């Protein structure tokens, strides 16, 4: 997703059976889902979950490849990699290591 977001978004849309008809649609979805845009929405900067009292800003990290190392141990990474690989097994999805 990070290397070529447009191509991966098109691929995901086709997988879901909803391919894009226009290039502008791809650009619009990428903009609406961009981490920078979402992080900077007023509600996400200052709002909080009404049930948990958890501030929305804590849902957002740096959004950079490899930042997991600052938040997870290698053991946690291995467990997550294993679970993800199992979930991605059938539909042809995977990691672009």
């Amino acid at each position: 997703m990070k290397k070529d977001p447009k191509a991966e978004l098109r691929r995901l849309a086709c997988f879901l059976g909803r391919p894009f008809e226009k290039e502008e649609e791809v650009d619009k979805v990428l903009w609406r889902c961009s981490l920078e845009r979402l992080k900077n929405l007023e509600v996400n900067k200052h709002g909080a979950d009404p049930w948990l009292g958890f501030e929305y800003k804590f849902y957002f990290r740096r959004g950079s490849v490899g930042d997991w190392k600052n938040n997870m141990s290698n053991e946690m990474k291995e467990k997550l990699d294993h679970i993800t690989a199992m979930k991605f097994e059938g539909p042809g999805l995977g990691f672009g290591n």
Side-chain angles (χ1 to χ4, degrees):
M1 272 306 244
K2 288 288 236 180
K3 287 181 185 175
D4 190 357
K6 282 187 178 186
E8 295 302 325
L9 182 58
R10 282 192 212 96
R11 185 171 168 234
L12 179 60
C14 287
F15 173 77
L16 295 172
R18 301 292 308 256
F20 292 102
E21 295 179 14
K22 300 176 185 174
E23 187 67 20
E24 298 82 38
E25 294 174 326
V26 177
D27 292 334
K28 187 174 182 179
V29 169
L30 285 174
W31 173 78
R32 285 177 121 350
C33 295
S34 78
L35 189 58
E36 283 307 310
R37 184 183 94 70
L38 293 171
K39 278 173 37 174
N40 290 312
L41 290 174
E42 203 60 34
V43 67
N44 291 331
K45 286 165 95 176
H46 304 290
D49 185 300
W51 293 279
L52 300 175
F54 194 63
E55 291 181 57
Y56 292 135
K57 68 181 178 183
F58 294 117
Y59 287 114
F60 297 95
R61 300 235 183 245
R62 297 170 108 198
S64 59
V65 174
D67 190 45
W68 66 268
K69 294 173 189 169
N70 297 319
N71 302 290
M72 296 173 64
S73 68
N74 279 330
E75 182 183 0
M76 292 167 75
K77 176 215 179 281
E78 293 300 322
K79 284 182 181 178
L80 186 58
D81 284 351
H82 178 72
I83 292 168
T84 304
M86 286 181 4
K87 299 285 184 182
F88 283 2
E89 209 166 71
L93 301 171
F95 294 111
N97 300 342

